[in-house]
Amino acid sequence: IYYRRLTQEFTDSFAHYGTGFGWTYPANRPLLRIDYIFVKNGIFPRRVYVSQARHSDHRAVIADIEIKKDGN
């Protein structure tokens, strides 16, 4: 329910620009997608992926972004 509320105002970067499932939890054998990067208003992800590194109990979602002002 919170995801739906967030996506009414923000864009889920991985859902729109990532590839694959985006699973992040648990890090040793990810089966759930519970980590997100949300963007809006001139912030455009150019590449979004899940890190293979396991420094936590989650894997990191990483986004290379482009920031555009005034639609330029």
Side-chain angles (χ1 to χ4, degrees):
I1 191 165
Y2 296 112
Y3 178 84
R4 277 185 281 185
R5 285 184 187 170
L6 283 168
T7 56
Q8 288 175 356
E9 187 171 344
F10 298 92
T11 299
D12 175 351
S13 294
F14 194 90
H16 289 271
Y17 302 98
T19 57
F21 295 109
W23 295 340
T24 60
Y25 183 82
N28 63 336
R29 192 176 201 178
L31 297 171
L32 299 172
R33 182 170 178 252
I34 62 172
D35 299 284
Y36 303 89
I37 297 174
F38 291 101
V39 296
K40 74 177 207 175
N41 294 343
I43 299 174
F44 300 93
R46 294 298 172 216
R47 183 172 78 134
V48 183
Y49 60 98
V50 174
S51 171
Q52 296 303 304
R54 294 179 286 208
H55 300 292
S56 167
D57 59 340
H58 295 242
R59 292 192 182 186
V61 178
I62 300 168
D64 296 330
I65 62 168
E66 180 177 342
I67 300 172
K68 294 184 178 183
K69 289 186 175 183
D70 303 311
N72 295 325

